[in-house]
Amino acid sequence: MVLADGKGRLLLIFIGAFEAASIQMALNDLKPERPGTHDLLVSLLYEMSTEVERVSIIDIKNGVYIGRINVKSNGSNKSLDARPSDCIAIALRTKSPIFVKEEVMGRCSVTEEYFSKYSDSMEDIELG
């Protein structure tokens, strides 16, 4: 998965096939015949009157990105730990904004030019 900041920086996040398929379905506004895990979670949040306010990628530890889902329920704000791929799959389904902490983007992003040059050999790209 590649996140762009509009300033020519790209954040590369390696995710599993299931998560990639779920994100692709959300991007294409496709509904599965039976709800997948992300669809179920979004339905559960809706039924519990919980709003996803935003999702964020806030850190990287030992090469693993750390995500947060910020929700509002009954006037109370909560921040939930989550994998970035799950954050993004849920944000796409709820039309919630996706943020990356500037420190993470600064440390771990590559330029569009660098990505274009080396995209055929992903093993050459270092991530933070």
Side-chain angles (χ1 to χ4, degrees):
M1 173 171 47
V2 178
L3 299 178
D5 70 354
K7 300 176 186 173
R9 297 183 300 177
L10 305 174
L11 187 67
L12 309 175
I13 302 174
F14 296 91
I15 62 173
F18 170 77
E19 293 81 3
S22 179
I23 289 168
Q24 187 65 41
M25 288 188 76
L27 285 170
N28 292 322
D29 203 26
L30 299 173
K31 304 288 184 220
E33 193 172 309
R34 299 287 301 143
T37 304
H38 297 120
D39 304 299
L40 175 62
L41 183 55
V42 168
S43 294
L44 181 64
L45 291 169
Y46 176 78
E47 290 299 322
M48 297 180 71
S49 301
T50 301
E51 176 187 354
V52 177
E53 294 192 312
R54 68 188 280 168
V55 302
S56 305
I57 299 171
I58 62 162
D59 202 357
I60 185 168
K61 294 181 182 174
N62 300 318
V64 176
Y65 289 103
I66 309 298
R68 291 276 189 271
I69 302 174
N70 293 83
V71 299
K72 186 174 187 174
S73 180
N74 299 322
S76 177
N77 294 321
K78 305 270 187 212
S79 178
L80 308 168
D81 183 34
R83 297 180 304 178
S85 57
D86 293 331
C87 289
I88 291 166
I90 290 166
L92 292 171
R93 285 169 171 76
T94 59
K95 311 291 189 239
S96 303
I98 301 168
F99 293 92
V100 177
K101 194 171 184 179
E102 177 59 39
E103 178 184 328
V104 173
M105 202 67 172
R107 279 185 18 220
C108 302
S109 65
V110 296
T111 64
E112 290 176 2
E113 178 183 349
Y114 184 86
F115 182 75
S116 295
K117 183 176 178 181
Y118 292 104
S119 62
D120 289 333
S121 58
M122 294 297 288
E123 66 274 4
D124 292 340
I125 299 175
E126 290 184 33
L127 296 175

